[in-house]
């Protein structure tokens, strides 16, 4: 009677959650995508690119590791949006099986120190991924830096990697997966992320905004997908780019609409790449005043976790 039914989910040797944390811009999202072999989280050269907790599911024959990408933890708590980013990153450390603390080469900044301090009361094993080692000019500095890091906490492991070059990622994967408990997989084998298509498409627009706008403006824009229709061999997408003031609109649109066109073209190509079919993309800009500092607006735009 109590025999498990034949379609009960079998347990795997290693199943659990692994959070990628660190200060902004060290390469957490790049690392997530590189480990998964698919772009699930957007990447730019600017800090505070990631605004949400994003899960990426890595399946192996004996394991399922759910990687949690997080916004970079940082000191500035000026805007409600910044506070929300920090909240999402800190919240991601609850109920985690392994933490990967991502740092950049031989750098150690105040925000790295803060992350280390935040990890003080985390019981899960913490592995340091020393990312971007390809950028360390003088390789002789690496070993002393690893030794110095090893003195800062009883880390489970220190793994030098290059996310963009794919160097040593197998070692990082081994070190993390082996520390996951056995259990049933948390996601179906064919699901790569917890985020729906609308979210992923919106992020691809935001990625282009970050890449194509000057220094301050990207942080006051947000993207909302208004329409998403999948037709025979083609997907139609309409998205709104929210800005904070009248003055910001022409900057996003550019002279004769050139900049918005470029943003749209690049985002569309990324979308076509993701979907493997043609995409028709319409972009609009609208104003929502002070949304980055307005709790309710943040909720409306999906910044709730
Ligand atoms: N040279 C080199 N660049 C890298 C490497 N990993 C990431 N980058 C670059 O570092 C920049 C930041 O990468 P992201 O993955 O967006 O960094 P992040 O930690 O997710 O940043 P936030 O989301 O802002 O917290 C991008 O320009 C990446 O291309 C690496 O291993 N080598
Ligand atoms: Mg990121």
């Amino acid at each position: 009677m109590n025999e498990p039914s034949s379609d009960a989910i079998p347990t795997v040797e290693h199943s659990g959650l692994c959070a990628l944390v660190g200060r902004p811009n060290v390469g957490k999202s790049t690392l997530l995508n590189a480990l998964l072999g698919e772009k699930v989280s957007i990447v730019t050269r600017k800090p505070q690119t990631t605004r949400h907790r994003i899960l990426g599911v890595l399946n192996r024959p004996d394991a399922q590791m759910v990687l949690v990408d997080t916004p970079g933890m940082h000191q500035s708590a000026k805007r409600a949006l910044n506070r929300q980013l920090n909240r999402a990153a800190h919240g991601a450390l609850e109920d985690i099986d392994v933490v990967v603390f991502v740092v950049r080469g031989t750098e150690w900044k105040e925000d790295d120190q803060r992350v280390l301090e935040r990890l003080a009361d985390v019981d899960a094993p913490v592995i340091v991924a020393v990312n971007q080692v390809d950028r360390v000019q003088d390789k002789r500095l690496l070993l002393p830096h690893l030794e110095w890091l090893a003195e800062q906490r009883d880390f489970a492991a220190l793994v030098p990697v290059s996310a963009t070059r794919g160097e040593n990622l197998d070692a990082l994967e081994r070190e993390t997966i082996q520390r996951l408990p056995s259990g049933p997989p948390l996601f179906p084998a064919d699901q790569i992320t917890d985020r729906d298509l609308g979210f992923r498409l919106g992020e691809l627009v935001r990625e282009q905004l970050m890449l194509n706008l000057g220094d301050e403006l990207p942080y006051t824009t947000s993207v909302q997908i208004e329409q998403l229709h999948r037709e025979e061999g083609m997907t139609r997408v309409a998205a709104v780019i929210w800005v904070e003031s009248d003055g910001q609109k022409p900057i996003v649109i550019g002279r004769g609409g050139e900049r918005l066109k470029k943003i749209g073209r690049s985002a569309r190509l990324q979308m076509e790449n993701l979907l493997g079919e043609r995409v028709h993309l319409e972009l609009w800009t609208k104003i929502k005043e002070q949304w980055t500092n307005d709790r309710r607006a943040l909720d409306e735009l999906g910044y709730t976790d």
Side-chain angles (χ1 to χ4, degrees), residues 123-164:
D123 292 330
V126 179
I127 295 167
V128 186
V130 180
N131 188 31
Q132 309 205 21
V133 285
D134 57 289
R135 293 180 58 178
V136 178
Q137 303 264 329
D138 186 353
K139 299 286 187 236
R140 286 171 306 182
L141 298 176
L142 202 54
L143 191 59
H145 186 66
L146 290 174
E147 284 168 355
W148 178 83
L149 279 171
E151 288 164 11
Q152 306 310 306
R153 180 195 165 117
D154 188 12
F155 291 117
L158 290 121
V159 190
V161 294
S162 167
T164 45

Side-chain angles (χ1 to χ4, degrees), residues 24-30 44 48-50 72 131 134-135 162-164:
N25 223 22
V26 288
K28 298 176 295 298
S29 303
T30 311
T44 80
Q48 288 158 49
T49 297
T50 305
N131 188 31
D134 57 289
R135 293 180 58 178
S162 167
T164 45

Side-chain angles (χ1 to χ4, degrees), residues 195-206:
R195 296 291 175 169
D196 64 18
L197 186 59
F199 176 87
R200 292 180 76 182
L201 297 179
E203 286 288 272
L204 293 177
V205 176
R206 203 166 59 76

Side-chain angles (χ1 to χ4, degrees), residues 174-276:
R174 255 195 326 274
E175 291 288 356
T176 43
I177 283 183
Q178 73 179 27
R179 291 184 168 82
L180 301 178
S182 67
L186 302 169
F187 284 88
D190 59 353
Q191 191 175 342
I192 191 151
T193 179
D194 62 325
R195 296 291 175 169
D196 64 18
L197 186 59
F199 176 87
R200 292 180 76 182
L201 297 179
E203 286 288 272
L204 293 177
V205 176
R206 203 166 59 76
E207 182 173 55
Q208 293 307 321
L209 287 168
M210 301 234 13
L211 291 171
N212 286 285
L213 297 176
D215 267 351
E216 251 308 298
L217 206 55
Y219 302 107
T220 56
T221 57
S222 187
V223 177
Q224 214 172 15
I225 298 293
E226 295 243 301
Q227 264 183 41
L228 175 54
H229 285 301
R230 298 198 81 169
E231 299 168 6
E232 189 74 32
M234 128 100 96
T235 301
R236 287 183 188 278
V237 185
V240 174
I241 298 167
W242 291 103
V243 295
E244 287 200 317
S245 67
D246 263 332
Q248 292 179 344
K249 243 177 148 173
I251 304 174
V252 174
I253 294 167
R255 190 180 291 201
E258 270 313 306
R259 184 172 283 143
L260 191 59
K261 252 188 233 156
K262 181 163 180 263
I263 289 167
R265 202 162 41 234
S266 306
R268 179 174 54 76
L269 290 175
Q270 290 276 335
M271 291 176 182
E272 290 180 342
N273 207 14
L274 174 68
L275 295 167

Side-chain angles (χ1 to χ4, degrees), residues 51 53 70-74 79-94 118 295 298-299 303-305:
R51 286 187 181 167
R53 217 176 311 167
T70 62
M73 292 180 183
H74 59 289
R79 288 186 287 227
L81 176 64
N82 291 94
R83 288 194 292 277
Q84 177 56 32
L85 296 186
N86 277 323
R87 226 184 340 260
H90 289 269
L93 285 165
E94 284 158 25
R118 170 62 183 84
R295 204 47 255 177
L298 285 175
D299 284 347
Y303 295 95
T304 41
D305 55 0

Side-chain angles (χ1 to χ4, degrees), residues 25-72:
N25 223 22
V26 288
K28 298 176 295 298
S29 303
T30 311
L31 202 49
L32 173 84
N33 295 338
L35 287 165
L36 292 175
E38 181 171 331
K39 181 163 160 183
V40 158
S41 191
I42 61 167
V43 166
T44 80
R45 58 183 178 275
K46 292 183 178 158
Q48 288 158 49
T49 297
T50 305
R51 286 187 181 167
H52 302 264
R53 217 176 311 167
I54 296 173
L55 305 189
V57 187
L58 184 74
N59 286 296
R60 294 290 179 253
D62 63 340
Q64 184 182 79
M65 176 157 67
V66 179
L67 292 153
V68 188
D69 189 17
T70 62

